[in-house]
Amino acid sequence: MATPSAAVSQNFALKFISGKYQGGEFPLDDDREIVIGRSSELDMVLVEDMVSRKHAKIALSSGKLTIQDLGSTNGTFVNGEKIKQARLKEGDRILIGTSILKVVSSDPSEVRQIDGRSINEQLERVAAQRPKTGGAMTGRIDEVPIPDLLQLFQTSKKNGVLTVNTGEHEGRIYLRKGQIYYAIIDGDPAPGPRKSFFRIVAWEQGEFLLEGPDAEEFPVELEESTEALLMEALRQLDEQRKLEKDLPPATAILAVVQPLVSSLRDLSPEQLDVFQLALNYGSVRNVLDKSELTDRDSCEALLHLLEHGYLHAA
C-alpha cells in the first residue's frame, strides 16, 4: 500500500510595494515568528517615526500565516482594516507606518536560511538606492490600486495630499483624517473635485506619493464619505466603460445631423448642454472634458444624441 506523501508547506515572502523599502523582499520560514518594529534588535527593522519599537508579529506555521499587532501606537492594517490579529493569505496588503507589504508566494523548492541581520541590511541598501522623499509614502498604482490605497488611508485616518502621476497627467487628492475633501487634475479646477476624483480613480498605471497636509483652501469641498465616493466612482466607471463600447472613439468629430428632424424640446437640460458642447467643441474628448457632468453621465447623454438622430460622428 502506498504511503501518502507529506504535504508541502507553502512558502511566503513579504514584498515592499510602498514606502522607504519599496522593492525589497523579506522571506518567511515555516515554524518561525518575526517581530517587526523600529528597534534594531528585531527580525524586521523599519526605521521610521510611525512604526513602534515593537509594532507587529508575523508567524508562519504549517502553511498558516498570521499577523498580530503588538499594541502599536499607529496600528497595523490588513486590506484596509485595522487588526489586532488576523489570518493572512497570498495577495493581502499590510500597512505598517508608511510601508505597504504584500504577501507573495515564493518557490517552495528554494532552500533558505533566514538571517534577519543580512535581510535588514539588504532592505537598508534598497532604501539607500531610492530617491529621498522626506518620509512620504510612495509606490506604484499598478501594485496598489487607488481604491485600495484610499481605503487604507481612510481606516488609518491619514492627513495629506495623494499625488498620482501617470506621465501624461497629475492628479491630487486631498485627505483630512482619511476623508477626501478635494481632487484636481493638472491644476485645472474647471471639472470640479467630484469629476476629477472619479477620473483619478480610473487610472491604473503610474506612481503615487502621499505627502503631508496642505494648507491650501478651496471654495468647494467634497462632503461625502471616502467610502461613498469610492463606491460611486467605481459604479460610474463600470457603467461608463459599458457605454463607451457604443460610442465613437474619443478623437471622433461630432456634427449635427442635417436636416435636424428630431425635436430639441424632447431633450433634457443635461442633454441640451451636451448637444451645445458638441456644436462648440467638436470631438468626443472635448465634450467630455468641457461637460459639467461626470464622464459617465456625459457618455449617456452623447449616446442618446447619437442614437436619436441629433448628432453623428463625422
Side-chain angles (χ1 to χ4, degrees), residues 40-108:
S40 60
E41 302 170 354
L42 303 182
D43 305 296
M44 183 192 291
V45 182
L46 304 182
V47 184
E48 58 170 288
D49 293 340
M50 293 186 66
V51 176
S52 296
R53 185 174 176 276
K54 287 188 177 181
H55 197 107
K57 178 173 66 177
I58 293 179
L60 177 61
S61 178
S62 301
K64 179 182 178 181
L65 189 61
T66 58
I67 184 169
Q68 177 184 351
D69 183 77
L70 299 178
S72 65
T73 301
N74 293 301
T76 301
F77 301 85
V78 176
N79 299 331
E81 294 186 11
K82 190 173 184 178
I83 60 96
K84 291 184 177 179
Q85 188 165 352
R87 177 82 179 265
L88 296 172
K89 63 183 183 302
E90 185 179 353
D92 283 346
R93 296 182 179 93
I94 304 161
L95 174 64
I96 296 177
T98 63
S99 292
I100 300 177
L101 302 91
K102 184 177 182 180
V103 179
V104 297
S105 62
S106 56
D107 187 352

XYZ file of all heavy atoms in Angstrom, residues 40-108:
519
model
N 16.366 48.023 16.738
C 17.409 47.373 15.943
C 17.600 45.911 16.317
O 18.284 45.173 15.610
C 18.736 48.119 16.110
O 19.133 48.120 17.474
N 16.988 45.469 17.422
C 17.146 44.085 17.872
C 16.135 43.142 17.223
O 16.210 41.927 17.414
C 16.978 44.021 19.396
C 17.951 44.907 20.171
C 17.596 44.993 21.642
O 16.527 44.454 22.020
O 18.376 45.577 22.400
N 15.193 43.660 16.459
C 14.096 42.835 15.946
C 14.449 42.158 14.625
O 15.471 42.442 14.010
C 12.848 43.701 15.786
C 12.370 44.420 17.049
C 11.106 45.209 16.771
C 12.135 43.423 18.189
N 13.553 41.255 14.213
C 13.785 40.495 12.980
C 13.667 41.376 11.741
O 14.485 41.290 10.831
C 12.765 39.342 12.890
C 12.799 38.457 14.126
O 13.844 37.830 14.358
O 11.798 38.416 14.863
N 12.604 42.201 11.684
C 12.444 43.134 10.577
C 12.446 44.542 11.142
O 11.551 44.920 11.892
C 11.140 42.893 9.803
C 11.000 43.817 8.587
S 9.343 43.813 7.839
C 9.284 42.176 7.153
N 13.449 45.308 10.789
C 13.629 46.651 11.342
C 13.154 47.682 10.320
O 13.694 47.776 9.213
C 15.105 46.906 11.711
C 15.250 48.296 12.336
C 15.615 45.827 12.662
N 12.116 48.446 10.693
C 11.601 49.519 9.849
C 11.900 50.838 10.552
O 11.264 51.170 11.558
C 10.094 49.364 9.624
C 9.631 48.031 9.018
C 8.118 48.056 8.802
C 10.353 47.745 7.713
N 12.862 51.567 10.031
C 13.336 52.780 10.686
C 12.508 53.968 10.205
O 12.820 54.596 9.199
C 14.837 53.013 10.405
C 15.335 54.222 11.188
C 15.635 51.771 10.756
N 11.413 54.248 10.912
C 10.594 55.423 10.617
C 9.745 55.751 11.837
O 9.438 54.889 12.667
C 9.726 55.202 9.384
C 8.795 54.016 9.463
C 7.799 54.016 8.319
O 6.901 54.871 8.359
O 7.924 53.175 7.421
N 9.353 57.018 11.924
C 8.703 57.524 13.126
C 7.352 56.874 13.403
O 6.961 56.720 14.566
C 8.512 59.051 13.034
C 9.843 59.793 13.054
O 10.832 59.196 13.516
O 9.887 60.951 12.596
N 6.607 56.495 12.373
C 5.261 55.971 12.565
C 5.236 54.498 12.966
O 4.177 53.929 13.201
C 4.419 56.172 11.306
C 4.115 57.634 10.999
S 2.988 57.819 9.600
C 1.486 57.104 10.277
N 6.401 53.893 13.041
C 6.500 52.493 13.449
C 6.920 52.428 14.909
O 7.876 53.089 15.318
C 7.518 51.738 12.557
C 7.697 50.309 13.042
C 7.059 51.753 11.104
N 6.188 51.639 15.698
C 6.517 51.495 17.118
C 7.766 50.641 17.296
O 8.185 49.918 16.387
C 5.348 50.857 17.861
O 4.209 51.698 17.821
N 8.339 50.729 18.507
C 9.564 49.961 18.793
C 9.324 48.469 18.529
O 10.112 47.802 17.882
C 9.984 50.193 20.242
C 11.309 49.541 20.600
C 11.752 49.913 22.014
N 12.962 49.197 22.363
C 12.980 47.961 22.846
N 11.845 47.315 23.052
N 14.119 47.363 23.133
N 8.234 47.938 19.055
C 7.759 46.591 18.700
C 6.349 46.771 18.154
O 5.426 47.051 18.909
C 7.769 45.651 19.899
C 9.150 45.205 20.323
C 9.067 44.134 21.391
C 10.460 43.617 21.768
N 10.398 42.545 22.789
N 6.198 46.613 16.852
C 4.954 47.014 16.199
C 4.011 45.829 15.944
O 2.829 45.883 16.272
C 5.278 47.704 14.870
C 4.153 48.504 14.320
N 4.130 49.884 14.331
C 2.979 48.125 13.727
C 3.016 50.315 13.790
N 2.301 49.260 13.400
N 4.525 44.772 15.324
C 3.671 43.648 14.947
C 4.500 42.366 14.885
O 5.728 42.409 14.833
C 2.995 43.916 13.603
N 3.778 41.253 14.871
C 4.435 39.943 14.796
C 3.746 39.114 13.719
O 2.521 39.052 13.659
C 4.340 39.230 16.146
C 4.943 37.833 16.163
C 4.956 37.256 17.573
C 3.558 37.007 18.114
N 3.581 36.391 19.459
N 4.542 38.466 12.871
C 4.016 37.591 11.824
C 4.577 36.192 12.045
O 5.773 36.024 12.298
C 4.387 38.111 10.421
C 3.661 39.444 10.148
C 4.033 37.100 9.343
C 3.970 40.050 8.805
N 3.689 35.189 11.975
C 4.104 33.800 12.205
C 3.631 32.925 11.062
O 2.501 33.078 10.573
C 3.542 33.292 13.527
N 4.486 32.005 10.629
C 4.142 31.023 9.605
C 4.337 29.640 10.206
O 5.436 29.293 10.628
C 5.032 31.204 8.370
C 4.839 30.204 7.227
C 3.419 30.272 6.683
C 5.850 30.454 6.115
N 3.258 28.866 10.248
C 3.318 27.526 10.834
C 2.487 26.573 9.991
O 1.278 26.769 9.835
C 2.792 27.541 12.276
O 2.813 26.233 12.831
N 3.145 25.585 9.393
C 2.468 24.583 8.556
C 1.632 25.242 7.455
O 0.502 24.836 7.177
C 1.596 23.662 9.423
O 2.381 23.010 10.398
N 2.175 26.295 6.866
C 1.482 26.979 5.784
C 0.449 27.990 6.240
O -0.134 28.688 5.412
N 0.203 28.091 7.546
C -0.774 29.044 8.078
C -0.039 30.316 8.488
O 0.860 30.286 9.331
C -1.498 28.442 9.278
C -2.524 29.370 9.909
C -3.178 28.719 11.119
C -4.168 29.665 11.789
N -4.792 29.050 12.993
N -0.435 31.426 7.877
C 0.246 32.701 8.096
C -0.661 33.642 8.876
O -1.810 33.871 8.493
C 0.605 33.321 6.744
C 1.502 34.560 6.736
C 2.857 34.263 7.347
C 1.667 35.073 5.306
N -0.158 34.166 9.982
C -0.954 35.065 10.824
C -0.147 36.303 11.175
O 1.088 36.300 11.137
C -1.384 34.379 12.137
O -0.216 33.940 12.847
C -2.296 33.193 11.867
N -0.871 37.375 11.508
C -0.241 38.620 11.941
C -0.928 39.101 13.205
O -2.142 38.931 13.373
C -0.312 39.698 10.837
C 0.447 40.961 11.268
C -1.745 40.034 10.463
C 0.663 41.974 10.151
N -0.151 39.695 14.104
C -0.690 40.220 15.368
C -0.083 41.588 15.638
O 1.140 41.772 15.531
C -0.348 39.262 16.517
C -0.806 39.748 17.881
C -0.360 38.825 19.003
O 0.144 37.729 18.752
N -0.517 39.254 20.240
N -0.936 42.553 15.938
C -0.446 43.864 16.348
C 0.027 43.776 17.792
O -0.610 43.129 18.637
C -1.549 44.916 16.227
C -1.056 46.311 16.568
O -0.389 46.916 15.724
O -1.333 46.762 17.702
N 1.147 44.406 18.105
C 1.736 44.323 19.451
C 1.482 45.600 20.249
O 2.340 46.050 20.995
C 3.238 44.034 19.341
C 3.609 42.717 18.641
C 5.126 42.567 18.540
C 3.006 41.521 19.381
N 0.275 46.149 20.114
C -0.067 47.364 20.850
C 0.607 48.596 20.291
O 0.927 49.538 21.039
N 0.788 48.629 18.974
C 1.484 49.749 18.346
C 0.680 51.036 18.483
O -0.542 51.015 18.619
C 1.723 49.447 16.866
O 0.494 49.355 16.183
N 1.385 52.164 18.416
C 0.734 53.470 18.550
C -0.155 53.781 17.356
O -1.288 54.253 17.514
C 1.792 54.577 18.688
O 2.608 54.302 19.836
C 1.134 55.945 18.847
N 0.332 53.514 16.144
C -0.398 53.904 14.931
C -1.159 52.763 14.267
O -1.827 52.967 13.255
C 0.572 54.518 13.918
C 1.118 55.851 14.411
O 0.367 56.779 14.663
N 2.433 55.931 14.569
N -1.080 51.563 14.840
C -1.894 50.464 14.349
C -1.289 49.680 13.201
O -0.359 50.118 12.525
N -1.858 48.480 12.977
C -1.491 47.602 11.877
C -2.757 47.347 11.068
O -3.815 47.074 11.635
C -0.929 46.261 12.409
O 0.222 46.534 13.226
C -0.530 45.339 11.276
N -2.644 47.427 9.732
C -3.826 47.342 8.874
C -3.624 46.252 7.828
O -2.557 46.135 7.236
C -4.073 48.681 8.183
C -4.275 49.816 9.156
C -3.183 50.503 9.697
C -5.549 50.195 9.548
C -3.367 51.536 10.600
C -5.740 51.225 10.445
C -4.646 51.902 10.984
N -4.663 45.466 7.614
C -4.652 44.428 6.590
C -5.821 44.688 5.647
O -6.979 44.698 6.081
C -4.762 43.014 7.207
C -4.854 41.958 6.105
C -3.568 42.727 8.105
N -5.505 44.930 4.376
C -6.531 45.199 3.361
C -7.487 46.310 3.791
O -8.698 46.236 3.588
C -7.312 43.929 3.032
C -6.432 42.838 2.464
O -5.425 43.113 1.819
N -6.789 41.597 2.721
N -6.927 47.340 4.436
C -7.722 48.500 4.801
C -8.429 48.399 6.143
O -9.104 49.339 6.545
N -8.277 47.299 6.858
C -8.925 47.141 8.153
C -7.881 47.093 9.265
O -6.888 46.386 9.163
C -9.771 45.873 8.193
C -10.968 45.898 7.257
C -11.869 44.684 7.425
O -11.660 43.941 8.407
O -12.761 44.474 6.598
N -8.147 47.857 10.336
C -7.255 47.829 11.481
C -7.459 46.515 12.226
O -8.595 46.115 12.508
C -7.549 49.019 12.406
C -6.521 49.211 13.505
C -6.785 50.501 14.266
C -5.693 50.751 15.301
N -5.908 52.026 16.010
N -6.372 45.836 12.526
C -6.494 44.494 13.129
C -5.731 44.407 14.457
O -4.793 45.170 14.710
C -5.983 43.399 12.167
C -4.484 43.616 11.789
C -6.824 43.366 10.910
C -3.503 42.855 12.580
N -6.166 43.479 15.276
C -5.378 43.054 16.429
C -4.672 41.752 16.094
O -3.513 41.542 16.439
C -6.279 42.887 17.652
C -6.832 44.199 18.194
C -7.624 43.980 19.465
C -8.123 45.328 20.032
N -8.936 45.131 21.269
N -5.413 40.870 15.423
C -4.846 39.607 14.956
C -5.635 39.167 13.730
O -6.848 39.362 13.661
C -4.914 38.528 16.044
C -4.167 37.259 15.677
C -3.938 36.361 16.878
O -4.206 36.765 18.005
N -3.436 35.162 16.662
N -4.951 38.599 12.728
C -5.647 38.211 11.507
C -4.881 37.099 10.802
O -3.667 36.973 10.938
C -5.806 39.413 10.574
N -5.621 36.310 10.056
C -5.030 35.297 9.182
C -4.676 35.966 7.856
O -5.448 36.777 7.330
C -6.051 34.174 8.962
C -5.588 33.063 8.007
C -4.712 32.047 8.700
N -4.311 31.004 7.770
C -4.954 29.836 7.641
N -6.034 29.597 8.389
N -4.519 28.911 6.803
N -3.517 35.652 7.316
C -3.059 36.236 6.064
C -3.071 35.203 4.953
O -2.890 34.006 5.195
C -1.637 36.789 6.213
C -1.435 37.955 7.188
C 0.052 38.248 7.348
C -2.175 39.191 6.706
N -3.261 35.695 3.723
C -3.192 34.831 2.538
C -2.455 35.578 1.439
O -2.236 36.796 1.527
C -4.588 34.428 2.078
C -5.460 35.588 1.631
C -6.849 35.118 1.261
C -7.710 36.254 0.739
N -7.851 37.366 1.676
N -2.094 34.860 0.410
C -1.377 35.469 -0.710
C -2.196 36.616 -1.294
O -3.398 36.497 -1.499
C -1.103 34.417 -1.783
C -0.262 34.930 -2.936
C 0.023 33.856 -3.973
O -0.329 32.675 -3.729
O 0.578 34.211 -5.029
N -1.533 37.732 -1.542
C -2.197 38.900 -2.115
C -2.631 39.929 -1.096
O -2.940 41.066 -1.461
N -2.684 39.553 0.191
C -3.075 40.513 1.224
C -2.048 41.632 1.315
O -0.848 41.430 1.093
C -3.193 39.824 2.584
C -4.478 39.014 2.721
O -5.378 39.197 1.883
O -4.578 38.204 3.664
N -2.541 42.835 1.660
C -1.674 44.000 1.800
C -1.681 44.461 3.246
O -2.737 44.645 3.847
C -2.126 45.132 0.869
C -2.005 44.783 -0.611
C -2.415 45.956 -1.473
N -2.284 45.664 -2.894
C -3.257 45.186 -3.656
N -4.441 44.939 -3.109
N -3.069 44.947 -4.931
N -0.484 44.681 3.783
C -0.317 45.086 5.181
C 0.256 46.491 5.205
O 1.245 46.775 4.519
C 0.655 44.117 5.909
C 0.166 42.669 5.787
C 0.825 44.517 7.373
C 1.263 41.645 6.060
N -0.366 47.366 5.985
C 0.146 48.734 6.148
C 0.733 48.874 7.539
O 0.050 48.693 8.547
C -0.983 49.747 5.958
C -0.631 51.220 6.250
C 0.426 51.736 5.283
C -1.875 52.093 6.196
N 2.030 49.185 7.593
C 2.736 49.454 8.848
C 3.525 50.738 8.641
O 4.436 50.782 7.808
C 3.674 48.299 9.247
C 2.871 47.033 9.536
C 4.517 48.678 10.460
C 3.728 45.819 9.858
N 3.165 51.782 9.372
C 3.814 53.072 9.153
C 3.503 53.575 7.757
O 2.351 53.683 7.357
N 4.552 53.866 6.971
C 4.350 54.277 5.583
C 4.696 53.149 4.609
O 4.790 53.379 3.403
C 5.208 55.512 5.247
O 6.596 55.175 5.360
C 4.889 56.680 6.163
N 4.887 51.952 5.137
C 5.226 50.803 4.290
C 3.984 49.955 4.027
O 3.234 49.643 4.956
C 6.293 49.927 4.958
O 7.532 50.590 5.036
N 3.785 49.598 2.763
C 2.761 48.619 2.416
C 3.491 47.368 1.953
O 4.323 47.411 1.040
C 1.825 49.133 1.314
C 1.111 50.406 1.764
C 0.792 48.064 0.958
C 0.219 51.026 0.706
N 3.185 46.250 2.603
C 3.818 44.974 2.291
C 2.759 44.040 1.723
O 1.652 43.933 2.255
C 4.430 44.333 3.536
C 5.480 45.138 4.310
C 4.821 45.974 5.398
C 6.499 44.198 4.952
N 3.103 43.365 0.650
C 2.187 42.431 0.008
C 2.657 41.010 0.274
O 3.849 40.705 0.154
C 2.129 42.695 -1.498
C 1.130 41.838 -2.252
C 1.101 42.224 -3.728
C 0.080 41.412 -4.506
N 0.054 41.802 -5.938
N 1.728 40.141 0.665
C 2.058 38.728 0.886
C 2.148 38.052 -0.475
O 1.177 38.039 -1.245
C 0.994 38.036 1.754
C 1.358 36.565 1.940
C 0.857 38.722 3.107
N 3.311 37.521 -0.801
C 3.514 36.839 -2.081
C 4.016 35.425 -1.812
O 4.601 35.140 -0.762
C 4.524 37.595 -2.975
C 3.996 38.976 -3.328
C 5.891 37.705 -2.305
N 3.763 34.524 -2.752
C 4.284 33.163 -2.610
C 5.693 33.116 -3.173
O 6.065 33.912 -4.033
C 3.386 32.165 -3.340
O 3.351 32.449 -4.718
N 6.475 32.188 -2.670
C 7.830 32.005 -3.183
C 8.034 30.536 -3.496
O 7.231 29.686 -3.116
C 8.863 32.509 -2.170
O 8.687 31.864 -0.924
N 9.091 30.238 -4.212
C 9.358 28.887 -4.690
C 9.555 27.942 -3.508
O 10.511 28.085 -2.742
C 10.614 28.909 -5.571
C 10.875 27.567 -6.249
O 10.177 26.591 -5.913
O 11.773 27.507 -7.097
N 8.667 26.925 -3.330
C 8.800 26.022 -2.184
C 10.036 25.141 -2.252
O 10.461 24.582 -1.250
C 7.522 25.167 -2.253
C 7.094 25.240 -3.675
C 7.497 26.587 -4.156
